[in-house]
Amino acid sequence: MLTVYDCIVSEHDLRLVALAALVCALASLTGINLLHHARRMKGSSQLAWLAIAAASTGFGIWATHFIAMLAFSPSLPTAYNVTLTIISLIAAVVLTGIGLGTALLPGLAFAPWIGGGAVGGGIAVMHYTGMAAFEVAGTITWDSALVAASILLGGLLGAMALATVLNRSSQGITFLGALLLTMAICSHHFTAMGAVSITPDPSIPLSPSSIHTDWLAGGVAFVNLSILLLAVVALSLDIRERRRASLEMQRMRDLTDAAVEGLVLCDGDAIVTVNQSFARLTGLTSEQIAGQSLAAWIPDSAKRSKLFGRPGHAVETDLRNGDGSLLPVEVIARQITYNGAAHTVVAFRDLRDRRDAEARIRYLAHHDPLTGLENRASFDHRLDREIRLHRRTKGQMALLCLDLDGFKDVNDLYGHATGDRVLQDIAKHLSSALVDGQMFARLGGDEFAIIVPHVNDPTQAGQLAETLLKGLKWEEEGVPVGLVSVSIGIALYPSDGKDRTELLSSADAALYRAKTEGKGTYRFFEASMGAQIRERRSIEHDLRGAIASNELSLAYQPQAQVDTGEVNGFEVLLRWSHPTRGNVSPAVFIPIAEESGLILKIGEWVMREACREAASWKRPLTVAVNVSALQLTSDGFVEFVQSTLEQTNLPAKRLEIEITETALIRDPNRALLSLQRLKEIGVNIAMDDFGTGYSSLSNLRAFPFDKIKIDRSFIQAVHANPQAAAIVRAVLGLGRGLGLLVIAEGVETSEELRFLGLEGCAEAQGYLFGRPAPIMEFMQVISDNIMVPPQPLMRSVGN
């Protein structure tokens, strides 16, 4: 080492030594930057940039050597062999290129070390080829130990330089790699120069074709200029690449910050950076998180191993928040290249909303969203489970089916929002009467059910029903407390049913009995109830196909003038001839049709048939059609009537629609709108069964009626009951005062007809004028101006 030092200090121009070191450092830095740029390229572009990097580094090695040789002052004439000097330059470039290319090979183990060693070998070949080109008037001898040391230093430091810059990428690493490459070149050169000993010998001449030192200085200057140009190119590339990388980094940061998922970039287990979503998820800043271990945030080591062991597969785990709490997250890891090195990006998705949604879905799957009670699915499951349990234990249980009486009126009169609040209040009050183990469920609409397990005596179920009825109350503003009541049907297991279907059917039958016997009460199931319910359901089932099977027909009853007996029109009455039941009374099937909603379809059929038939009559008689409350308030009813009149060519003034006052209270506003629109198209409106039900004089003032029909119960009692006669007189006077036509129903005797004539009643209807019959029996009436004589008919009725 001392020999090398003496060589540098005593035999070299230190100014030129410093210049050689500067050129070497510049060339090394340029070569390292170009190598990084070549690494990012692919294919032929990478080869081109490798060639430029090899030229820059090779020229730097060559220039460093010959500048240092110019600084060498042996005090003897010196010169340089042209051929060997050129060969040394070529060797430096070629061998450096081989080393740099080897360092970038992807499939070669320890490629940067091998490539760096090859670059060190190129330094040695260039140096000793250059020394072979050195001519001096004397003999040169070598210290083999220092020669070996120079080759070893160059190879080792060269390998360290490339291994350093290619394993990691940063500005500091780039400078460190350039420093190591500079040390490899300089240490090799000056160690090798320290191995040289020159013995002067004037007899040894210099070759005439050799390059003089001054010429060599010019060549070196040219090479230095080339190095400077390449350095400028490398610097511009480096600046551009850093700007591109900075912009790319900023775009990536903006993109990751815009992501909903939290993103974490990891180098191994160390967190490099995180996006804003992850920072918000943890409650810390990005700067506080960067540099920490991923294990600090995912404490479950097994889940971390699964995460990194299966890239691209989602793993559910817990994330430790900044305050130490754990959050449910879904994580997924992927490998990426970041700054030229392999990194892992981990995406975190907050599962709290999803877990809450899943919990909500599970809740809704078993509960009614309005009242919070168990729903039908949960009820069925619990009832089946209780039946299996009681079947094994031979125990008894009770099932209570509840239905709200008058709840539809709440919806119609006060709106569905009020109805919902009433349901919630009722559910809350009834639930408070139950004890643990009993289940209260909402089956749908205003239907509820209660499962009472382990009943020792039926009276326990009865006592619970009484408690429920007494405790029924709510505080809904504007809704009368007595408007809604509860009917309860009770069935017992196993006496009233062996499975869920039978038990529910029995409880439903008992509920139906409770509703028909006054409502607001409870009834136990009795065997006879089942037959009644089955009969009702059978009728409903058969009624659904009655139209298609041509089982329905229309009967017509005349409406005539009281004084002359002239027929003014007919009322249409519906008849059902069942293939096995025979003629089914309208009093039986009409209520079932209204409760089941079949009245809408049946009513349309009646309207079309009645209008079609009336349009074929030669006399312009009126036809009266009864319309239910469900029809009157249904969507499109007025449009249906209008289209039916147009299709059948029946004038609107010949159609009369009869409605009861009960139909008006379901939805008064909607009923009024429908009646007004019917009046606009010319249809006549009659109030049927006046004097019964919800009769109110205000209805005559509020609704656009053309006619009042006095109920038959008053007509048949006019001679036996003075109060009935007074009511008929009052109604006739009311009609005259309001300008409304009054027609009496149920007239069967001449005495009744005479009373009506004396009191000024204009029209009448009843058996005295004709029983309901198919229209074919009234052919003479509808074709000619025929009056129906009341006396013969009256005598036939008496017989």
Side-chain angles (χ1 to χ4, degrees):
M1 184 60 70
L2 186 60
T3 301
V4 175
Y5 175 77
D6 289 339
C7 173
I8 295 173
V9 174
S10 304
E11 300 178 3
H12 287 74
D13 184 342
L14 294 181
R15 291 172 298 176
L16 291 177
V17 169
L19 178 61
L22 178 61
V23 170
C24 181
L26 182 62
S28 298
L29 184 59
T30 300
I32 294 298
N33 280 324
L34 290 171
L35 178 63
H36 276 304
H37 190 70
R39 186 185 189 184
R40 288 186 284 268
M41 299 295 106
K42 300 294 181 183
S44 59
S45 297
Q46 186 179 66
L47 293 176
W49 284 105
L50 271 175
I52 296 173
S56 172
T57 308
F59 278 24
I61 296 170
W62 188 87
T64 300
H65 172 80
F66 281 101
I67 292 173
M69 290 303 296
L70 290 174
F72 182 56
S73 303
S75 301
L76 294 170
T78 58
Y80 294 89
N81 183 280
V82 176
T83 302
L84 291 177
T85 299
I86 295 173
I87 291 174
S88 67
L89 176 59
I90 295 173
V93 173
V94 172
L95 293 175
T96 299
I98 293 173
L100 295 179
T102 303
L104 294 183
L105 290 176
L108 182 62
F110 304 106
W113 290 92
I114 297 172
V119 171
I123 295 171
V125 171
M126 181 273 136
H127 178 84
Y128 288 108
T129 303
M131 287 303 296
F134 181 63
E135 296 182 2
V136 65
T139 58
I140 299 175
T141 58
W142 298 87
D143 184 340
S144 59
L146 287 177
V147 169
S150 68
I151 296 173
L152 183 61
L153 277 172
L156 180 60
L157 290 174
M160 291 176 61
L162 293 196
T164 299
V165 298
L166 292 180
N167 284 335
R168 288 191 178 182
S169 179
S170 69
Q171 189 172 5
I173 293 297
T174 299
F175 281 115
L176 177 59
L179 176 61
L180 288 171
L181 185 57
T182 300
M183 291 174 60
I185 297 170
C186 291
S187 64
H188 172 86
H189 177 84
F190 290 108
T191 301
M193 290 302 294
V196 173
S197 296
I198 301 175
T199 302
D201 186 353
S203 64
I204 299 176
L206 299 178
S207 172
S209 60
S210 61
I211 303 174
H212 193 269
T213 303
D214 295 336
W215 286 97
L216 179 63
V220 171
F222 173 75
V223 171
N224 285 338
L225 180 61
S226 300
I227 293 173
L228 288 174
L229 289 174
L230 290 172
V232 170
V233 171
L235 180 61
S236 64
L237 285 173
D238 184 63
I239 292 173
R240 188 181 72 177
E241 187 61 30
R242 290 184 184 278
R243 184 181 294 112
R244 186 196 66 79
S246 177
L247 291 174
E248 188 68 25
M249 180 62 67
Q250 187 60 44
R251 281 197 294 268
M252 186 179 76
R253 186 173 292 110
D254 293 341
L255 182 62
T256 56
D257 285 341
V260 176
E261 290 83 2
L263 299 178
V264 176
L265 183 66
C266 297
D267 184 4
D269 190 59
I271 297 177
V272 177
T273 185
V274 301
N275 69 346
Q276 291 299 318
S277 294
F278 185 81
R280 286 192 296 269
L281 195 61
T282 60
L284 302 176
T285 63
S286 303
E287 292 74 16
Q288 290 175 304
I289 300 171
Q292 296 190 29
S293 170
L294 187 64
W297 303 100
I298 304 180
D300 192 329
S301 58
K303 292 295 179 68
R304 288 200 311 275
S305 300
K306 186 177 181 180
L307 173 68
F308 289 108
R310 300 179 62 192
H313 289 77
V315 176
E316 292 190 9
T317 184
D318 290 323
L319 170 69
R320 178 174 284 127
N321 203 340
D323 59 6
S325 62
L326 296 178
L327 305 177
V329 293
E330 183 181 68
V331 292
I332 187 170
R334 294 188 185 278
Q335 297 294 322
I336 65 168
T337 299
Y338 175 77
N339 281 348
H343 285 70
T344 303
V345 62
V346 183
F348 289 76
R349 178 174 296 167
D350 189 351
L351 293 183
R352 284 177 294 182
D353 289 343
R354 192 172 86 182
R355 294 280 176 85
D356 291 343
E358 290 173 350
R360 178 64 177 167
I361 291 172
R362 286 193 297 270
Y363 177 83
L364 292 177
H366 298 91
H367 293 80
D368 171 52
L370 178 63
T371 61
L373 300 175
E374 305 281 345
N375 63 8
R376 184 61 181 258
S378 183
F379 167 80
D380 288 347
H381 178 75
R382 171 70 182 275
L383 185 56
D384 287 340
R385 184 161 57 87
E386 290 292 343
I387 289 175
R388 290 193 299 269
L389 175 63
H390 286 75
R391 185 179 295 127
R392 290 195 302 268
T393 61
K394 306 298 182 180
Q396 184 174 240
M397 60 176 288
L399 174 63
L400 282 67
C401 283
L402 296 79
D403 187 85
L404 303 186
D405 308 314
F407 178 71
K408 183 169 180 55
D409 293 336
V410 174
N411 278 335
D412 292 341
L413 297 174
Y414 302 99
H416 289 281
T418 300
D420 289 346
R421 290 194 294 272
V422 168
L423 285 175
Q424 292 169 338
D425 290 342
I426 290 177
K428 181 176 67 176
H429 283 91
L430 295 183
S431 297
S432 64
L434 304 182
V435 299
D436 291 343
Q438 298 174 350
M439 179 184 184
F440 190 18
R442 183 188 180 199
L443 305 185
D446 58 350
E447 300 177 12
F448 300 85
I450 299 175
I451 298 175
V452 185
H454 313 302
V455 173
N456 298 322
D457 191 305
T459 57
Q460 290 180 250
Q463 290 171 356
L464 175 60
E466 290 178 357
T467 302
L468 294 174
L469 295 175
K470 291 178 181 178
L472 179 61
K473 59 181 179 179
W474 68 93
E475 299 175 359
E476 191 57 47
E477 184 178 355
V479 181
V481 173
L483 183 60
V484 177
S485 61
V486 172
S487 295
I488 304 175
I490 305 174
L492 300 174
Y493 174 87
S495 58
D496 299 334
K498 299 296 189 296
D499 56 27
R500 171 162 52 89
T501 302
E502 289 185 6
L503 200 59
L504 275 170
S505 178
S506 298
D508 191 46
L511 173 63
Y512 182 75
R513 174 65 62 83
K515 294 180 73 70
T516 56
E517 293 185 358
K519 302 180 181 180
T521 185
Y522 71 92
R523 291 289 182 271
F524 281 92
F525 174 76
E526 298 174 4
S528 60
M529 296 179 182
Q532 295 174 356
I533 293 296
R534 287 191 294 273
E535 176 67 10
R536 181 184 180 279
R537 288 175 179 171
S538 177
I539 292 175
E540 180 182 336
H541 175 270
D542 294 346
L543 189 58
R544 292 184 182 276
I547 295 177
S549 302
N550 295 320
E551 297 173 11
L552 298 181
S553 61
L554 298 182
Y556 295 81
Q557 186 171 31
Q559 296 176 336
Q561 291 289 114
V562 170
D563 54 351
T564 65
E566 182 182 358
V567 174
N568 297 328
F570 291 90
E571 179 182 3
V572 176
L573 301 173
L574 183 62
R575 296 291 183 261
W576 181 18
S577 179
H578 192 276
T580 58
R581 299 176 187 272
N583 293 324
V584 183
S585 170
V588 173
F589 71 82
I590 291 296
I592 294 176
E594 290 180 340
E595 291 177 14
S596 63
L598 290 173
I599 195 65
L600 294 175
K601 182 178 178 181
I602 294 174
E604 289 181 356
W605 179 83
V606 171
M607 182 69 69
R608 279 194 295 265
E609 288 296 306
C611 291
R612 182 188 59 78
E613 176 60 43
S616 68
W617 300 341
K618 292 182 179 181
R619 293 185 63 198
L621 305 176
T622 61
V623 60
V625 180
N626 289 280
V627 172
S628 72
L630 195 60
Q631 288 177 271
L632 184 64
T633 56
S634 63
D635 293 334
F637 174 70
V638 177
E639 289 77 8
F640 166 73
V641 173
Q642 188 170 12
S643 65
T644 300
L645 292 173
E646 293 173 354
Q647 292 169 8
T648 59
N649 292 320
L650 180 70
K653 64 181 181 180
R654 291 182 58 194
L655 175 64
E656 183 177 282
I657 288 181
E658 296 186 1
I659 62 171
T660 63
E661 286 190 285
T662 306
L664 303 179
I665 70 167
R666 292 177 61 92
D667 192 340
N669 294 330
R670 197 164 187 174
L672 176 60
L673 179 61
S674 296
L675 294 178
Q676 288 174 339
R677 293 179 62 194
L678 289 170
K679 287 291 293 180
E680 289 174 0
I681 63 178
V683 174
N684 294 308
I685 311 296
M687 178 185 287
D688 197 13
D689 299 335
F690 185 77
T692 62
Y694 296 92
S695 295
S696 172
L697 297 181
S698 64
N699 289 334
L700 295 177
R701 179 173 56 88
F703 293 91
F705 291 107
D706 300 293
K707 183 184 293 186
I708 302 174
K709 298 188 72 174
I710 304 176
D711 187 69
R712 60 181 299 174
S713 61
F714 297 105
I715 301 301
Q716 294 173 351
V718 291
H719 294 295
N721 190 328
Q723 288 85 1
I727 290 174
V728 172
R729 293 190 185 97
V731 173
L732 291 171
L734 182 64
R736 286 191 293 270
L738 295 176
L740 299 177
L741 185 66
V742 178
I743 181 172
E745 289 186 293
V747 179
E748 297 183 357
T749 66
S750 57
E751 289 80 6
E752 294 169 356
L753 183 64
R754 189 175 302 108
F755 173 85
L756 293 172
L758 292 173
E759 298 297 333
C761 181
E763 292 186 13
Q765 173 183 344
Y767 287 174
L768 186 64
F769 298 97
R771 291 176 178 272
I775 195 63
M776 298 302 296
E777 296 189 15
F778 300 100
M779 288 301 297
Q780 289 184 340
V781 176
I782 63 178
S783 58
D784 299 317
N785 188 14
I786 300 296
M787 292 185 295
V788 178
Q791 294 301 324
L793 288 176
M794 183 269 296
R795 285 195 297 270
S796 65
V797 171
N799 294 335

